[in-house]
Amino acid sequence: FNGVGSSGKTSIARALQAIAKVPLLHVQMDTFIDMLPENMFADPQGMVFETIEEDGKPSVRITSGPVASRAMAGMWQAVAALAASGNDLIFDVVMFAEDRPHCTALAQRFDVTIVGVHTPLEILEARERSRGDRQAGLSRWQNSRVHEGMTYDFELDTRKLSLGQCAEMIRAALDL
């Protein structure tokens, strides 16, 4: 699943796990980010979250240094290793242009269905505020970048569909 933070990827993944006929492991990008030591946040070696202004509103730009970049490269390798071991996966990610070669490499080795999870910006920002664990402006910055140039096998709009409907559509389409 590729989509902006707060678009519903994790909730759809959990709903899909609950109804699938096969066991699906849920692998989250956030788990790999959480592996970074606390001192690597706001450090140019790790991840820097910088508030800038876009369209007159706060937007949080993310910059990754070498430590974070190595962790993310390892994430893609870990996903490949899990799949190579025979696991069926739901991979929950916020993918940018620089990540596409990793995704393409996975698709060449495994049966991969790329699902785009879309949500209008105003809903993303409302969810971001209500969650309380996200920096205001993170969705705004990701929103214009995550789906840019992406081609999906399946697309979901969480404004129009409930999380359960999204999960059922995926389950039925992929016969899971």
Side-chain angles (χ1 to χ4, degrees):
F1 296 172
N2 182 44
V4 174
S6 301
S7 63
K9 299 180 305 294
T10 297
S11 297
I12 295 168
R14 289 181 181 145
L16 181 56
Q17 282 180 307
I19 63 171
K21 296 178 283 187
V22 298
L24 299 168
L25 302 183
H26 180 202
V27 181
Q28 295 178 273
M29 178 183 210
D30 287 349
T31 301
F32 288 84
I33 292 170
D34 288 345
M35 290 180 191
L36 292 170
E38 191 66 36
N39 66 351
M40 284 290 103
F41 294 97
D43 184 310
Q45 296 292 309
M47 296 184 93
V48 175
F49 298 83
E50 176 188 7
T51 301
I52 59 173
E53 191 174 296
E54 283 186 8
D55 301 323
K57 295 189 178 180
S59 180
V60 178
R61 176 175 40 214
I62 306 167
T63 308
S64 295
V67 173
S69 294
R70 285 193 306 269
M72 294 300 97
M75 171 189 70
W76 291 96
Q77 291 178 25
V79 168
L82 285 165
S85 296
N87 295 292
D88 292 314
L89 310 173
I90 303 167
F91 183 29
D92 169 348
V93 66
V94 178
M95 190 169 18
F96 299 108
E98 61 268 19
D99 301 312
R100 290 194 195 110
H102 297 291
C103 186
T104 301
L106 282 177
Q108 290 172 348
R109 292 181 57 199
F110 305 103
D111 182 16
V112 174
T113 301
I114 303 173
V115 178
V117 180
H118 301 274
T119 308
L121 181 58
E122 61 275 4
I123 294 172
L124 291 168
E125 289 178 327
R127 289 178 184 170
E128 185 177 72
R129 284 189 301 273
S130 70
R131 286 177 66 151
D133 67 346
R134 302 291 160 121
Q135 194 171 347
L138 196 55
S139 293
R140 178 169 293 279
W141 187 80
Q142 291 177 359
N143 191 55
S144 65
R145 292 160 179 85
V146 168
H147 299 295
E148 186 179 325
M150 286 298 298
T151 302
Y152 295 110
D153 299 304
F154 208 85
E155 297 189 62
L156 304 169
D157 183 339
T158 61
R159 170 191 54 185
K160 297 176 182 175
L161 299 167
S162 72
L163 300 172
Q165 289 171 316
C166 291
E168 179 54 37
M169 287 176 68
I170 294 167
R171 190 207 58 74
L174 300 178
D175 193 32
L176 296 174

